[in-house]
Amino acid sequence: MLDKISITTNTAKNFAALSETTIILLYQKQDDTWQLRKEIPVQFNFKSNLEDLRNQIRNLITKLEDCKIILSPSINGLPFHIFDRMGFHIFEMTNFTPQDFDEIVADVYRSEHENSEQSDTALGPVKTVDGIYFLDLIQLQTTHPDISSKRALQPFLKNTPFIKLDFICSHLPPWLDTKEFKSQYDITTKKNRDTCLVTISHKICLPKNKA
């Protein structure tokens, strides 16, 4: 949950690296104010074997309720990977004030929102009805700048049976405006301000009339 943040501290309750931590402070936001919810004593043995250390950290995580944010000057090695695998957002800072908590939560929210958008964005054409496909190439490349038009479209054109493909782009990809593709497909474009709707369908080969 984004209303709780855990802080690593030493015996004096001073902000400390995880390797020096003996108390975890769990803060929760209530009525627009961050309040200390509870103190969790911990005793890590970083000289123990890997399985024991995993169990120590997992035991701590069960005490953090639904908190998924941990703030520390330093979390390294195996502990970092365990927290990361358990879905924690790890923030490493040299110091902080409770006023920083809202910005940390905002960062987590933005990160989760961006990840959600990326996971919801189709990486290639999607079927709308049988044989008809659509792709918003502009949205795809905004979310995934590393995906070229070739990467998004060529595997589909080579491997997917289709009747018609519509896709939105800023301009017709040059590789489509070649003899290779024009000989196989009917390609039409409709320009609308800064966007272009491209429609691709297979050429229909009409049988020759017998003399």
Side-chain angles (χ1 to χ4, degrees), residues 13 16 31 33 40 44 81 156 164-165 171 173 193 197 202:
K13 299 180 186 176
D31 299 325
T33 303
I40 305 169
F44 295 118
H81 292 292
F156 171 84
K164 184 177 73 168
L165 165 65
H171 61 275
R193 295 185 180 179
L197 174 63
H202 289 276

Side-chain angles (χ1 to χ4, degrees), residues 105-118:
V105 169
D107 283 346
V108 171
Y109 176 82
R110 284 192 292 267
S111 174
E112 291 186 344
H113 185 65
E114 289 171 0
N115 290 338
S116 176
E117 283 186 343
Q118 289 187 5

